[in-house]
Amino acid sequence: MKKLLLFCLLAGITHVASAQDLRYYLSDSVSYNPAIPKPKDIIYHEVGEWHVTHDRLVNYMKAVAAAAPDRIKLETMGFTYEKRPQVLLIITSPANHRRLEEIREQHVKLSDPSQSASVNIDNMPIVVWIGHSIHGNEPSGANASLLTAYHLAAAQGRDIEDLLDKTVILLDPSFNPDGLQRFSTWANQHKSKNLVSDPNSREFNEVWPGGRFNHYWFDLNRDWLPSVHVESRNRLRWFHQWKPNILTDHHEQGSNATFFFQPGVPSRVNPLTPARNQELTAMLGKFHARYLDRIGSLYFTKENYDDFYYGKGSTYPDINGCIGILFEQASSRGHVQETSNGLLTFPFTIRNQFVTALSTLEGARSLRKEFLTYQRDFYKNEQAEVAADPVKAYIFQNNDDHTSTREFMDMLGRHGINLYSLKNKVSIGSNNYSPQGAYIVPLNQPGYKLIKTIFSRTKEYKDSLFYDITSWTMPLAFGIKADELNAAQLAQAGTTEVRLISLATGPETGKPYAYLMHWSELLAPAALNELLGKGILAKVATRPFERQVEGVTARHEAGTIMIPVQLQQLAPENLRKQLQEVAEKYKTGLVEVSGGEASAGVDLGSSRFVTITRPSIAMITGAGVNATDAGEIWHLLDQRMNMQSTHLEQTMFNRADLDRYNTLIMVGGQYNELNKEKLKNWVQAGGTLIVTEEAVSWAAQNGLTNVKFKTPASAVDSSKQRLNYTQREEVDGAQQMSGAIFGAEADLTHPLAFGFTGKTVSLFKANKVYPEKSKNPYATPFWYGNDPLQSGWVSRNNLEAVKNSAAVIVTTVGSGRVISIADNPAFRAFWLGGSKLFMNAIFFGRIIDAASGRSE
């Protein structure tokens, strides 16, 4: 058996050279094409000497692609929020490049059982996606991509030619360009000529929010499935265009660790992932172990990390016939840091990432047919699973919120899932579905497992420890009713081509008296905010009412927005034009009425219609605040609702003039530096303070509310039980609230519930904040009943604490309100069902007393 070039490469990799020398990474036994620029030629420093900035990283990728056009084609997948390019290098042999589209088309057929049998894989290249640094402050991966790109472009000889002939490599140098740029700037600006290794040094301790996150402070490694963010959407388009066989996800972990590669903990693999997936992962792991052994790097496997949540980069591939591989390198964070394993240098971390990229490619080449066969079998076996599954399709509908429904449909489309409109009326339990707005997702299509993970509810688990959330049932998150259909129900329902339902806009009356706008639509708050910003006066109905329209009763629920014509500064025709433009922009619907009399309920001139004040919002951010929680609110307001919000550091809050704000937001975190008396005085003067998750506890502890809390019983009775020391991690871990979905009961007459039509609202809980219900019978508009768990893992003790606890409590403080939301209503930006609650708090918090009929 011939000696492989990649082993030759590693034979010299233990050569001890300066960190400012490519010989530290590359082997002297490998010849490189001198016409290909080395990284230093483009980025102006050696790999590992400084942290590469994203702009220089892209410059190098462009340069190496230009220098080796026979091997590399550079594509721009899209742009981040900060308009940085997301580039992808397609690397393969010159012969493969000449028929690249043919290779792609043939490869994609492996994921379609109707075509895969005709595909000959004997000489088919394997497709490998190598992805780096989705957390921007885990930079060794992105820096290693410089070496991988150089090696694949410049290495010479029969072995590299064979590798490129048998593989199509999709090199993604930076999953998170904005975060990488932020972190590299931080690390470089604090680097000393005489390197400092003290972990206490500023170089190793970023300021808030750090480089881990994208522009909106989101963890992009949780966004593969919901695909909310532009970075994820850009990447997914290319993922599904190519359907790779292997995807590597290069991360970093704590500095005192070594190097991790998958498989992860065996008991924490999602049950939808086939056993063969883990077998191939283990087979590939043998290559990683061999390559790391050759350079003497310590490593571990089958510990700490799991393959459960399909929204991560190393698990999303697993539900798509691909093998996702997680790499975790101990992080130097800066350039060199003291650790329990000695001095950890940045070049050392880069070398391990580079070596495992090479081991992945060698494993892919050696196991090429096994991986290609697995991908074909994955989708072929799904057909048998569909046949055995009593569930044949899912049906969903929400005619009260067309925008959320459209968002849900778009999310399905990003994953290549086909859906159809309902043909005939059907009832499933208490849910009625009509052809006007109901859709069906059949399971008999490629992606059966992916569809199951999107729609399924789960309450039973093999393990009680999780690295991330335990449930993500998407219809619950989007606030959409959904049901399973068996074969008979699917046949009865019937399907037809998708028909998009638009919200009806009422006809013009000729001489309008007022306009009515639905509040149930997702973007109604955005529309209202824009109208208020134009100086248009708007009122909210705090009671339902009915009108007679050509003999037909039209019912309008509490929360309906009314814009009276005569109270405006605008001329009627100008008002109509502006209202129609805003309604069309946000898809809210608009009804024109010719008179103020109601056939039932309150008339339009009633005091039950309360004038709305435009929110002026500030959110406390900075050190101590949970960045992802704050980012979720920022994204909700800025991206979805087109609303401005000021971000105040605690020190700035202490000296700012708060009179310019009528709404303050505090998410989970620590607020030790905040001037509590100033905050309390602001609320007493009429401000609305919205606190979520741990901030609910903080507000109570600091005298802003009188909220009391339930405490879960201990998991272990030390007087009766003695446990082994090694059981501690399991016992303590099982008591964590990793994240589950609970159904909160809602008082639909309360202003905070305006726009909701169902009495149960699904909320996501990933904390141990369990408020007791208020003694004021009107102050707990959302609460959990005796059976609140809808999906996910929760320990028995924590479940008992959730039962009959409050989800939302309103506290009157002087002339102001404190709205305590115990959970995360905007979780990861895809929890659209809870965002309505949060927007209600912003717009209607000030009118809660007025809604009861009393003046403010």
Side-chain angles (χ1 to χ4, degrees):
M1 183 176 179
K2 67 178 183 178
K3 189 174 181 180
L4 300 177
L5 173 89
L6 293 179
F7 284 116
C8 293
L9 175 69
L10 291 176
I13 209 164
T14 55
H15 171 74
V16 180
S18 165
Q20 285 73 48
D21 193 326
L22 279 181
R23 290 179 299 163
Y24 179 69
Y25 307 104
L26 306 177
S27 172
D28 292 337
S29 64
V30 178
S31 63
Y32 289 92
N33 183 351
I36 305 300
K38 296 178 180 179
K40 184 180 180 180
D41 299 333
I42 305 300
I43 67 173
Y44 309 116
H45 61 81
E46 295 285 1
V47 175
E49 181 183 5
W50 295 86
H51 286 249
V52 70
T53 58
H54 184 261
D55 55 330
R56 293 187 179 185
L57 179 67
V58 171
N59 286 344
Y60 182 71
M61 297 302 161
K62 289 180 177 179
V64 77
D70 58 334
R71 290 187 180 183
I72 300 178
K73 181 181 180 181
L74 185 143
E75 299 280 2
T76 299
M77 296 183 286
F79 295 85
T80 68
Y81 288 113
E82 296 177 14
K83 299 306 177 183
R84 292 190 174 86
Q86 292 176 261
V87 298
L88 185 71
L89 278 65
I90 303 176
I91 306 173
T92 190
S93 68
N96 286 342
H97 268 297
R98 287 192 292 271
R99 59 185 192 95
L100 191 63
E101 181 59 17
E102 176 191 342
I103 291 173
R104 188 194 68 81
E105 290 177 352
Q106 287 295 306
H107 182 80
V108 169
K109 288 181 180 179
L110 292 177
S111 59
D112 184 351
S114 68
Q115 303 183 76
S116 61
S118 64
V119 177
N120 186 344
I121 65 171
D122 289 344
N123 298 306
M124 175 181 283
I126 183 173
V127 180
V128 182
W129 189 305
I130 303 179
H132 306 86
S133 302
I134 201 164
H135 298 141
N137 62 357
E138 298 176 4
S140 57
N143 283 263
S145 73
L146 295 163
L147 299 168
T148 306
Y150 174 71
H151 171 70
L152 295 174
Q156 297 175 318
R158 286 182 298 175
D159 204 79
I160 188 66
E161 292 172 0
D162 181 69
L163 173 70
L164 294 178
D165 195 51
K166 293 179 178 177
T167 58
V168 173
I169 302 159
L170 307 176
L171 183 69
D172 191 337
S174 174
F175 278 148
N176 180 5
D178 294 347
L180 180 70
Q181 185 74 16
R182 191 183 314 131
F183 177 75
S184 60
T185 301
W186 175 268
N188 289 336
Q189 73 182 13
H190 292 98
K191 177 189 175 185
S192 299
K193 181 183 71 172
N194 299 293
L195 297 182
V196 176
S197 60
D198 180 358
N200 296 314
S201 183
R202 185 171 171 83
E203 180 180 356
F204 309 108
N205 297 280
E206 301 170 81
V207 295
W208 192 95
R212 178 182 178 90
F213 311 115
N214 78 340
H215 176 79
Y216 282 99
W217 313 331
F218 272 74
D219 186 336
L220 289 176
N221 197 40
R222 306 298 186 269
D223 194 46
W224 287 72
L225 189 61
S227 56
V228 170
H229 296 283
V230 292
E231 298 93 339
S232 304
R233 295 181 181 187
N234 294 336
R235 190 188 324 115
L236 277 179
R237 282 196 298 271
W238 283 85
F239 178 94
H240 287 291
Q241 281 180 28
W242 274 98
K243 302 284 188 182
N245 299 102
I246 300 171
L247 184 145
T248 65
D249 191 15
H250 292 257
H251 284 253
E252 290 183 358
Q253 58 185 323
S255 299
N256 292 319
T258 58
F259 189 92
F260 168 84
F261 58 84
Q262 285 179 312
V265 180
S267 61
R268 301 180 202 167
V269 177
N270 195 297
L272 287 173
T273 299
R276 182 60 175 164
N277 173 289
Q278 294 297 289
E279 293 171 4
L280 287 171
T281 300
M283 292 168 67
L284 196 58
K286 298 295 184 183
F287 289 86
H288 308 322
R290 190 183 312 159
Y291 276 48
L292 291 170
D293 284 343
R294 292 181 70 87
I295 61 172
S297 289
L298 297 175
Y299 56 85
F300 66 99
T301 186
K302 299 179 182 178
E303 293 181 52
N304 295 357
Y305 301 96
D306 65 30
D307 284 304
F308 193 79
Y309 171 49
Y310 286 125
K312 298 189 297 182
S314 59
T315 46
Y316 180 78
D318 295 340
I319 200 70
N320 283 281
C322 177
I323 306 293
I325 301 296
L326 173 66
F327 294 126
E328 292 275 358
Q329 164 62 48
S331 180
S332 67
R333 278 297 184 265
H335 294 83
V336 58
Q337 185 175 169
E338 300 165 16
T339 75
S340 60
N341 294 313
L343 289 178
L344 178 62
T345 68
F346 187 37
F348 177 84
T349 68
I350 295 171
R351 184 176 65 166
N352 281 344
Q353 300 279 26
F354 173 53
V355 164
T356 48
L358 298 182
S359 65
T360 299
L361 293 176
E362 180 55 32
R365 170 166 60 172
S366 300
L367 302 170
R368 178 182 61 85
K369 292 188 72 171
E370 285 88 340
F371 279 99
L372 292 170
T373 299
Y374 169 75
Q375 186 172 49
R376 178 160 57 189
D377 290 347
F378 177 92
Y379 289 98
K380 180 181 178 181
N381 293 338
E382 279 193 336
Q383 289 187 309
E385 295 180 65
V386 170
D389 195 331
V391 179
K392 300 304 179 185
Y394 291 96
I395 187 171
F396 66 89
Q397 184 170 23
N398 185 352
N399 279 356
D400 297 310
D401 187 352
H402 296 76
T403 306
S404 291
T405 303
R406 187 75 61 86
E407 289 281 337
F408 183 67
M409 295 166 66
D410 288 346
M411 184 271 294
L412 295 175
R414 289 193 291 273
H415 299 294
I417 296 172
N418 297 317
L419 58 97
Y420 303 88
S421 285
L422 174 67
K423 186 176 183 180
N424 306 309
K425 290 182 179 180
V426 65
S427 296
I428 309 296
S430 60
N431 290 332
N432 298 316
Y433 296 92
S434 68
Q436 289 72 41
Y439 301 93
I440 288 178
V441 180
L443 287 176
N444 189 19
Q445 62 175 298
Y448 159 79
K449 290 178 180 290
L450 181 58
I451 297 169
K452 293 288 285 189
T453 199
I454 288 172
F455 281 89
S456 295
R457 302 188 188 193
T458 307
K459 295 184 181 181
E460 297 181 2
Y461 298 83
K462 291 182 179 180
D463 205 324
S464 58
L465 302 184
F466 299 90
Y467 189 77
D468 198 66
I469 62 176
T470 67
S471 183
W472 49 89
T473 309
M474 291 299 186
L476 295 178
F478 281 72
I480 296 171
K481 68 178 179 181
D483 280 293
E484 301 171 345
L485 296 179
N486 59 32
Q489 291 167 330
L490 178 58
Q492 175 192 351
T495 61
T496 185
E497 291 301 313
V498 169
R499 299 185 306 272
L500 297 177
I501 306 301
S502 299
L503 192 61
T505 298
E508 296 181 5
T509 63
K511 187 176 181 181
Y513 177 86
Y515 295 88
L516 303 177
M517 186 175 72
H518 303 275
W519 190 249
S520 58
E521 288 292 328
L522 173 67
L523 298 182
L528 176 59
N529 184 68
E530 188 161 321
L531 294 177
L532 295 175
K534 294 174 180 290
I536 295 173
L537 184 144
K539 293 172 175 279
V540 59
T542 63
R543 297 290 189 277
F545 60 99
E546 295 178 357
R547 299 181 303 112
Q548 291 296 315
V549 182
E550 297 180 352
V552 178
T553 299
R555 180 175 173 83
H556 301 274
E557 301 295 339
T560 298
I561 304 302
M562 188 264 288
I563 300 99
V565 173
Q566 292 303 316
L567 297 183
Q568 310 297 335
Q569 298 297 315
L570 297 173
E573 280 306 313
N574 192 11
L575 175 65
R576 171 185 283 156
K577 179 182 178 182
Q578 296 211 31
L579 290 176
Q580 289 175 340
E581 288 176 352
V582 170
E584 174 60 28
K585 178 179 179 179
Y586 295 109
K587 310 300 180 187
T588 58
L590 189 68
V591 177
E592 186 176 305
V593 297
S594 59
E597 183 180 9
S599 59
V602 295
D603 295 327
L604 271 60
S606 167
S607 62
R608 303 292 190 178
F609 282 86
V610 181
T611 300
I612 305 168
T613 302
R614 190 186 191 200
S616 178
I617 304 167
M619 178 168 59
I620 311 301
T621 59
V625 176
N626 185 307
T628 55
D629 287 356
E632 288 156 2
I633 299 304
W634 181 19
H635 180 274
L636 171 65
L637 296 176
D638 192 40
Q639 282 291 321
R640 293 203 188 277
M641 301 301 172
N642 283 340
M643 294 175 64
Q644 295 175 332
S645 61
T646 298
H647 300 159
L648 294 176
E649 298 269 346
Q650 295 184 45
T651 53
M652 179 58 71
F653 171 90
N654 293 341
R655 60 177 183 267
D657 178 8
L658 300 185
D659 289 342
R660 60 186 298 152
Y661 314 113
N662 55 31
T663 306
L664 283 176
I665 298 169
M666 297 173 66
V667 299
Q670 300 294 321
Y671 296 91
N672 299 330
E673 304 301 319
L674 200 69
N675 187 327
K676 304 170 186 61
E677 285 303 312
K678 182 176 183 179
L679 176 61
K680 189 171 184 177
N681 291 337
W682 174 85
V683 176
Q684 288 176 329
T688 299
L689 174 63
I690 304 170
V691 290
T692 66
E693 299 195 270
E694 290 81 7
V696 173
S697 302
W698 182 91
Q701 292 165 1
N702 288 277
L704 278 88
T705 71
N706 57 1
V707 174
K708 307 297 181 184
F709 298 89
K710 302 171 68 176
T711 302
S714 173
V716 178
D717 186 343
S718 58
S719 66
K720 297 180 180 179
Q721 287 180 278
R722 191 200 67 78
L723 299 177
N724 293 330
Y725 178 77
T726 55
Q727 293 178 272
R728 179 176 179 178
E729 178 183 358
E730 180 179 348
V731 172
D732 291 350
Q735 300 310 308
Q736 300 304 310
M737 285 291 291
S738 299
I741 306 170
F742 297 88
E745 304 304 308
D747 173 6
L748 297 180
T749 69
H750 197 282
L752 294 184
F754 286 173
F756 290 104
T757 55
K759 291 186 177 180
T760 301
V761 177
S762 299
L763 296 175
F764 190 86
K765 190 173 192 67
N767 62 54
K768 301 180 79 170
V769 179
Y770 309 116
E772 296 180 356
K773 295 177 185 176
S774 174
K775 293 182 179 179
N776 180 340
Y778 310 108
T780 308
F782 294 82
W783 68 96
Y784 295 115
N786 291 318
D787 186 22
L789 181 63
Q790 293 182 313
S791 186
W793 158 261
V794 59
S795 71
R796 183 182 299 106
N797 296 335
N798 282 319
L799 180 58
E800 288 302 317
V802 174
K803 290 179 180 180
N804 299 303
S805 67
V808 181
I809 294 179
V810 180
T811 304
T812 300
V813 181
S815 298
R817 311 286 179 272
V818 179
I819 300 173
S820 300
I821 305 174
D823 305 313
N824 188 343
F827 180 68
R828 293 183 181 170
F830 69 87
W831 215 267
L832 302 186
S835 64
K836 192 184 309 292
L837 162 61
F838 194 82
M839 299 312 299
N840 284 349
I842 289 176
F843 279 97
F844 305 140
R846 283 171 293 283
I847 68 133
I848 289 175
D849 280 349
S852 67
R854 300 193 300 270
S855 65
E856 294 181 284

